[in-house]
Amino acid sequence: MDSKPDTGSLSASPVQRVFAWRRRHPRWSILIALLVAVFLLDRLFPPPIPDLDDDAATVVVARDGTPLRAFANAEGVWRYRIGLDEVSPRYLEALKGYEDRWFDWHPGINPIAFARAAGQAAVHGRIVSGGSTLTMQVARLIEPIPHSLPGKFWQIVRALQLEMRLSKAEILELYVNLAPFGGGIEGVQAASYAYLGKPSAQLSHAEAALLAVLPQSPSRNRPDRHPDRARGARDKVLNRLAEFGDWPPGVITEARDEPVVARSLRPPMQAALLAERLRREDPNDRRLDSTIDATLQRAIETQVEQYMRRLPEKTSAAVMVVRHSDLDTLVYVGSARYGDPDRLGHVDMVQARRSPGSTLKPFLYGLALDHGLIHSESLLLDVPQDFDGYRPGNFGDDFNGPVSAAEALRLSLNVPAVDLMDRIGPERFTARLAHAGLDLNLPVAAQPNLSIILGGTATELEQLVGAYAALARGGLAGLPRLRPGQAATDRRLLSAGAAYIVRQMLVEHGRPGDPGGLIDTSRRKQIAWKTGTSYGFRDAWAIGVTPDHVVGVWIGRPDGTPVPDQYGAATALPLLIDVSERLPGASRFTDPKPESVTLEKICWPSGGRETDELPANCRKKREAMLLDGVAPPTALDRASKASDSLQVRLQLDSKTGLRVAPHCAQGSVSEEVRVRWPVLAEPWIGAVERRYNRLPDWAPHCAPDQPTPSADLRIEGLVDASILRAAPGTDEPIRARLRVIGGTGTVAWLLNGKLVGRAAAEGGLELLFDQSGKKVITALDDQGRYGQIQVTVQ
């Protein structure tokens, strides 16, 4: 009879040998079968391991990584992706010490803890303690698993799968990013910022223990709602860590004494409009790094919100702070209060195109320097003038007569600026700004014109700030950078010398628009600043350059409606100075004066060097900054003919001092060179200078064939030095109708230097005197002729 084949022999089949091995090693065969089953399950039912980057919320962060604003993911959850090296070791110690002490060694399940949990379930008929490892908790975080015995089995399977597929560090990284902390917050980094206002790398021992236990019952133990419960849960963690000696006793004691203090749970909301802008520009990036300084941003946002309480309702504001060395934007406040419907807080006024008022004037003066038209003390005329029908006035309609270029810029005088714009050309000015990144919007089909320099255009705060940076960067303007690594866009706006001179002209600033001294402009830092106000009080601006930063402030209503009596110097300037004082860095400009800039004494009215003038013609001396050694002469005013000159060469009869000509001279003749004041300056230069400005009469035998037009106008209607009194028994103000004799064209009428009206020379004007005191009445025609009288109103 046949005997059974020896399954261990070489003649046995492979299947027979396998069954024989199983009979000899039953325990190993069970383990192998289990491993094979797990392997097959892993391939048939792989765990849904999430991609933390794809499923994360979009977070805009500051330059140091601090979240500025978080946009929830599709499930409405805010999660801030973080690596283990960015988490405080204290948190990881507390987490492992409390939740899973054997995490680094077990294969995904802890048999001892699991046996304990199974025994408790058998005794009580329900799950009392889960015995879950961190790996098992991750399994439940990545997939909804019911809290039941079958659910526990599936959780174990998933934990084994995770251990097969991932390293311990990868599993722990999933936990620290997915653990729930209540209120739609997931992950320790998001929780740390939301509850504690700090990154998880900076957690104290007590805070680390609190966040380690919070995912066990995030709603019940939320520290912002239930601080006592949260403290009790935290102390359980500390007791466990003390029991096993994970932390020294002194650390445990100190941590127990620390109170649970959490702010109201809220995702970060700083630089909200910048965050929206960056997200629009890069919608697929989950982490959007910015150049913002989180500490400064928070402080300036609070400062702006407090400052706006004193202003009319519906008023908004925008503030931008740029470090001019690299054009990094450190502060970006797009509205006074984000989301406020009354203030249209959703409108980003950093990018809104608005009338710039007078904020373009520094660039005009810089270009005038580069074109050799002026130096810092050039004599300019702030008097009523007509530019082919365009007749600009100043804020308040006051005129100052002859002023230096520096004074005209600091006082933001309109007529000198329009005069320079006319000489440079609006097209050239606009093109130069556009090349430097400052685009000016004009109405459709409109051409650049003289009104641009007074705000007859539109531009953005962001571009203005980038252009003002040229005053501290050797004349190089550029677009402010919003993100690290953003390409530089340096463009030449002014020469280094012109930029330096303009900045110096602005550093020692007066108080334009504030003659009563209502604004306290005392400051620690040097600030080269300029204000602007658009037509109708719609926009108030202040732009300032400090030794390290450029600060831009806009205040107004986003819908463009006027805000009466709110202008740059009164509304935007105080906020600019307050913001500047908060900024770190130097308090004084220390960059050296460019070699192209020299300091020299110049003379008025010629504008030339003192060394080039006769002492008698140097009527006033000033120290000026010259560019490239050029001292441009004072330009003719519009009352002079093209053939005229301020410098007059006279031939005088030596005996009589009267004017003669070579063909009619009798006896000895002396020559004299005289530099006269511009004709339009005469009403403001005083009696002594007016006498100097008068040329000697012609000798009778040399009188010209044509009579010389009268240099003066005669005002009729009132007598010089008269006293005006109101009629008895009436409250009506005194009225007087005046006209001029000898004038042509249009006559400008000024009362104490303030323009009160214009009228045809042959017509006249009625003046109203409603206040007592001395009144100087001046009439000035298109040819520069003028008349002046003084009366006293009682």
Side-chain angles (χ1 to χ4, degrees):
M1 136 182 161
D2 296 336
S3 61
K4 292 183 180 181
D6 183 4
T7 56
S9 67
L10 295 178
S11 61
S13 68
V15 174
Q16 290 175 324
R17 288 199 296 271
V18 167
F19 278 102
W21 186 89
R22 287 182 58 190
R23 285 193 299 271
R24 290 195 301 269
H25 307 284
R27 294 179 180 177
W28 283 105
S29 62
I30 294 174
L31 179 61
I32 292 174
L34 180 61
L35 292 176
V36 170
V38 170
F39 177 80
L40 292 176
L41 283 173
D42 183 66
R43 290 298 177 265
L44 294 174
F45 305 100
I49 300 174
D51 186 328
L52 294 176
D53 290 319
D54 287 345
D55 195 39
T58 298
V59 182
V60 180
V61 301
R63 61 192 309 113
D64 63 352
T66 300
L68 296 173
R69 183 175 180 184
F71 298 90
N73 63 15
E75 287 75 36
V77 171
W78 177 46
R79 182 189 312 125
Y80 186 178
R81 174 76 163 85
I82 191 174
L84 290 182
D85 57 340
E86 301 174 82
V87 182
S88 170
R90 296 170 178 172
Y91 172 75
L92 298 179
E93 291 167 3
L95 178 66
K96 291 181 182 179
Y98 184 72
E99 289 286 355
D100 191 352
R101 181 167 298 280
W102 304 103
F103 172 76
D104 293 326
W105 293 278
H106 63 60
I109 60 174
N110 186 335
I112 297 176
F114 186 72
R116 182 187 68 246
Q120 291 174 336
V123 172
H124 297 280
R126 58 183 177 84
I127 297 176
V128 176
S129 64
S132 296
T133 64
L134 283 175
T135 310
M136 294 172 65
Q137 293 182 46
V138 170
R140 196 181 294 279
L141 291 175
I142 65 175
E143 180 181 15
I145 298 176
H147 291 273
S148 61
L149 287 176
K152 179 62 68 174
F153 171 77
W154 188 243
Q155 186 181 11
I156 292 172
V157 171
R158 286 301 197 209
L160 294 173
Q161 288 180 296
L162 290 174
E163 293 281 349
M164 290 173 59
R165 288 172 171 265
L166 303 176
S167 67
K168 289 289 186 179
E170 290 171 328
I171 293 171
L172 194 57
E173 186 169 329
L174 284 174
Y175 181 88
V176 300
N177 280 281
L178 297 176
F181 286 86
I185 303 296
E186 288 187 358
V188 66
Q189 185 78 329
S192 184
Y193 275 118
Y195 287 116
L196 306 173
K198 63 170 67 173
S200 59
Q202 300 176 7
L203 294 174
S204 68
H205 288 87
E207 292 166 341
L210 172 65
L211 294 187
V213 72
L214 192 55
Q216 281 194 351
S217 184
S219 297
R220 175 179 173 78
N221 295 327
R222 270 183 57 170
D224 60 324
R225 293 181 177 175
H226 311 291
D228 292 338
R229 292 179 191 169
R231 183 167 189 163
R234 180 203 68 185
D235 289 349
K236 286 174 57 180
V237 176
L238 294 175
N239 293 338
R240 178 77 59 84
L241 298 177
E243 178 184 350
F244 287 91
D246 294 309
W247 287 349
V251 170
I252 297 293
T253 301
E254 185 177 346
R256 282 199 187 103
D257 292 339
E258 186 174 315
V260 171
V261 178
R263 62 183 186 177
S264 297
L265 182 61
R266 61 183 184 273
M269 188 62 74
Q270 294 180 45
L273 289 169
L274 171 64
E276 288 184 359
R277 174 178 174 178
L278 296 182
R279 189 188 186 202
R280 285 195 306 269
E281 294 173 357
D282 195 354
N284 297 320
D285 199 346
R286 291 293 170 261
R287 173 178 167 134
L288 298 168
D289 292 276
S290 76
T291 59
I292 296 298
D293 183 307
T295 302
L296 276 179
Q297 178 73 29
R298 187 182 308 111
I300 301 305
E301 283 188 0
T302 301
Q303 187 173 18
V304 170
E305 184 171 351
Q306 293 173 347
Y307 183 81
M308 296 305 293
R309 293 172 186 170
R310 70 182 75 171
L311 297 181
E313 61 181 9
K314 300 183 179 179
T315 306
S316 189
V319 176
M320 197 172 194
V321 178
V322 171
R323 187 171 58 200
H324 50 62
S325 60
D326 53 12
L327 293 179
D328 275 5
T329 300
L330 304 182
V331 175
Y332 188 114
V333 180
S335 66
R337 188 178 299 127
Y338 176 73
D340 185 341
D342 292 334
R343 299 181 187 268
L344 298 183
H346 63 284
V347 179
D348 186 357
M349 299 310 298
V350 168
Q351 290 188 287
R353 303 195 73 87
R354 306 292 291 228
S355 167
S358 295
T359 57
L360 302 179
K361 288 177 180 175
F363 312 127
L364 175 68
Y365 282 81
L367 290 178
L369 284 161
D370 277 333
H371 284 80
L373 298 178
I374 61 170
H375 51 63
S376 68
E377 296 300 314
S378 286
L379 191 158
L380 303 178
L381 293 176
D382 182 37
V383 301
Q385 296 194 59
D386 187 312
F387 300 86
D388 296 326
Y390 181 48
R391 296 169 176 165
N394 290 320
F395 189 89
D397 287 328
D398 292 316
F399 290 94
N400 298 269
V403 293
S404 71
E407 291 167 339
L409 176 57
R410 285 195 291 264
L411 296 175
S412 197
L413 302 178
N414 290 340
V415 176
V418 173
D419 180 35
L420 286 178
M421 176 68 94
D422 190 42
R423 289 154 63 185
I424 289 175
E427 295 84 1
R428 181 186 296 180
F429 178 75
T430 303
R432 189 60 176 267
L433 293 186
H435 170 76
L438 182 54
D439 296 318
L440 303 181
N441 277 21
L442 295 171
V444 177
Q447 296 298 316
N449 55 72
L450 297 179
S451 70
I452 286 174
I453 199 59
L454 305 185
T457 182
T459 191
E460 303 172 7
L461 175 62
E462 181 175 357
Q463 293 185 2
L464 271 176
V465 168
Y468 268 79
L471 302 184
R473 305 179 72 238
L476 290 176
L479 189 66
R481 302 195 319 151
L482 303 176
R483 304 198 64 183
Q486 183 176 338
T489 57
D490 291 348
R491 293 290 183 88
R492 175 67 60 186
L493 175 57
L494 304 171
S495 69
Y500 178 87
I501 292 173
V502 170
R503 192 186 75 199
Q504 292 303 108
M505 290 162 68
L506 291 174
V507 163
E508 297 301 329
H509 214 308
R511 301 179 184 182
D514 182 40
L518 301 178
I519 304 171
D520 179 12
T521 55
S522 61
R523 54 187 180 270
R524 179 179 59 86
K525 287 185 186 297
Q526 280 187 316
I527 311 174
W529 56 266
K530 182 73 187 72
T531 59
T533 306
S534 67
Y535 178 77
F537 300 101
R538 288 173 169 82
D539 306 274
W541 301 85
I543 317 289
V545 181
T546 75
D548 295 289
H549 304 93
V550 185
V551 182
V553 174
W554 171 91
I555 294 178
R557 287 177 176 163
D559 61 5
T561 55
V563 188
D565 298 325
Q566 300 297 320
Y567 49 90
T571 306
L573 177 58
L575 181 57
L576 168 76
I577 294 173
D578 289 347
V579 169
S580 299
E581 288 299 334
R582 284 185 174 269
L583 302 178
S587 60
R588 292 291 182 269
F589 290 99
T590 58
D591 51 323
K593 177 169 61 65
E595 294 182 0
S596 59
V597 178
T598 55
L599 295 177
E600 296 193 43
K601 289 290 181 88
I602 61 95
C603 292
W604 277 12
S606 72
R609 293 181 178 84
E610 179 188 11
T611 55
D612 297 336
E613 295 293 340
L614 296 171
N617 289 334
C618 194
R619 310 303 295 181
K620 287 188 178 181
K621 297 177 184 178
R622 289 176 173 255
E623 187 173 64
M625 290 178 284
L626 308 186
L627 182 61
D628 297 323
V630 177
T634 300
L636 289 171
D637 56 38
R638 279 163 178 73
S640 304
K641 295 178 292 186
S643 60
D644 291 343
S645 172
L646 295 182
Q647 180 172 295
V648 180
R649 189 173 295 275
L650 303 174
Q651 290 185 324
L652 304 177
D653 186 288
S654 299
K655 292 182 179 180
T656 64
L658 298 176
R659 292 174 69 185
V660 296
H663 69 279
C664 63
Q666 296 176 357
S668 61
V669 175
S670 63
E671 287 196 357
E672 177 183 328
V673 176
R674 186 178 299 186
V675 181
R676 307 177 67 201
W677 293 89
V679 173
L680 292 176
E682 287 201 18
W684 284 269
I685 60 178
V688 173
E689 295 306 311
R690 284 199 292 269
R691 285 195 298 270
Y692 162 82
N693 229 35
R694 295 290 186 270
L695 298 180
D697 292 335
W698 286 95
H701 56 281
C702 285
D705 295 335
Q706 299 295 329
T708 302
S710 171
D712 297 326
L713 303 179
R714 190 170 81 240
I715 298 176
E716 290 194 342
L718 288 174
V719 178
D720 189 26
S722 60
I723 297 176
L724 308 181
R725 295 185 178 89
T730 179
D731 294 331
E732 290 293 322
I734 300 172
R735 300 174 185 270
R737 183 161 192 83
L738 306 179
R739 67 188 186 93
V740 298
I741 303 298
T744 59
T746 301
V747 176
W749 292 87
L750 297 93
L751 185 62
N752 288 345
K754 181 175 181 178
L755 183 69
V756 293
R758 298 178 189 267
E762 61 274 12
L765 185 76
E766 183 178 76
L767 291 185
L768 182 145
F769 302 96
D770 56 359
Q771 293 183 346
S772 299
K774 291 185 177 181
K775 309 294 181 184
V776 178
I777 303 168
T778 305
L780 186 68
D781 77 355
D782 292 339
Q783 303 302 313
R785 294 184 290 262
Y786 74 95
Q788 194 171 76
I789 63 173
Q790 179 174 299
V791 299
T792 301
V793 177
Q794 296 181 354

